[in-house]
Amino acid sequence: MITYDRLFVAGRWTEPSSPELLDIRSPHVIVPYLRGRGTTRFLSDRTFRNAQQSAVALDIVALMDALEIERAVLAGFDWGSRTADIIAALWPERCRALVSVSGYLITDVKANLQPLPAKAEHTWWYQFSFATERGRLAMEDRDRRRDLTRLVWEEVSPAWHFDDATFDRTAVAFDNPDYAAIVIHNYRWRLGLTEGERRYDDLERKLAARPFITVPTLTLDAERDPFTAPGDGSGYRDSFTGVYEHRTLAGIGHNVPQEAPEAFARAVVDADRLAAVPSPS
């Protein structure tokens, strides 16, 4: 039985950059695709392509069970941060420590019904596109999908001058036959425009209560990420009640693992060390 590993949970339209940068002392660094990406497949064409947050988190728990990983240092960004946050909140016994880019990202669908400031709404333009039939069709078309995802990369990581090869290497993961359905369902569900599955209702009720995260945590904010909340982490600090550290990455945009792989890898190693620090009384 492996007592702990390092498990990196990637984001919605990216892939991990350099797991080999980690100063590995545990047996493995595991970098799974989330459902609907890369080589993942549903076992049946009849299965509902559900991307609500609790379903995605349970995928990672199931992966840990299958690999006989009792506890792991969980690290992620974007959808990956949300997924790691959920596991840390609901199943803290499975999470040795947490690295969460952008802090506390557990979705509250009811809160999402309220409008954001105009600039923030503008930044989220693509989720409103996904709420329409035009947006769904764009995501199902390979060329339009690549155009959209590349534009998002450019807008949310304004200082990252990635080349075609970098984007193409990642964009292969978007060719999964379920990618469009998963992305569309997730954003529509988060906006309250479509239903999830009733079997996850109990978990979603727990998540809607904004549960505290008690495991040792290191949060990262990217200075140039338009989604980064103001206040240098102060807006979500109270959601983490265990041993805690926060870092801001100057000059870095949204895609932290690929823009700042050394800083991300260092955070994983340091979070592991935080697990040895006594919790605040």
Side-chain angles (χ1 to χ4, degrees), residues 59-95:
D59 285 349
I60 301 302
V61 174
L63 174 66
M64 294 174 67
D65 289 344
L67 297 177
E68 297 187 329
I69 299 172
E70 181 179 345
R71 301 172 70 211
V73 177
L74 301 179
F77 94 106
D78 201 284
W79 287 30
S81 289
R82 181 173 299 107
T83 301
D85 287 352
I86 290 168
I87 297 170
L90 297 186
W91 302 284
E93 70 279 3
R94 307 304 298 269
C95 183

Side-chain angles (χ1 to χ4, degrees), residues 59-138:
D59 285 349
I60 301 302
V61 174
L63 174 66
M64 294 174 67
D65 289 344
L67 297 177
E68 297 187 329
I69 299 172
E70 181 179 345
R71 301 172 70 211
V73 177
L74 301 179
F77 94 106
D78 201 284
W79 287 30
S81 289
R82 181 173 299 107
T83 301
D85 287 352
I86 290 168
I87 297 170
L90 297 186
W91 302 284
E93 70 279 3
R94 307 304 298 269
C95 183
R96 173 177 168 84
L98 171 68
V99 176
S100 184
V101 177
S102 303
Y104 192 93
L105 293 186
I106 295 175
T107 297
D108 181 344
V109 175
K110 185 176 180 180
N112 278 356
L113 299 179
Q114 299 301 312
L116 299 172
K119 187 174 182 180
E121 296 279 21
H122 179 268
T123 301
W124 283 103
W125 62 268
Y126 54 87
Q127 74 172 348
F128 306 123
S129 174
F130 295 160
T132 70
E133 183 65 7
R134 287 163 57 104
R136 184 187 66 80
L137 292 173

Side-chain angles (χ1 to χ4, degrees), residues 2 5-9 19 22 28-32 63 67 69 75:
I2 300 170
D5 284 70
R6 296 188 178 118
L7 182 62
F8 169 52
V9 189
L22 293 175
H28 299 97
V29 176
I30 301 170
V31 190
L63 174 66
L67 297 177
I69 299 172

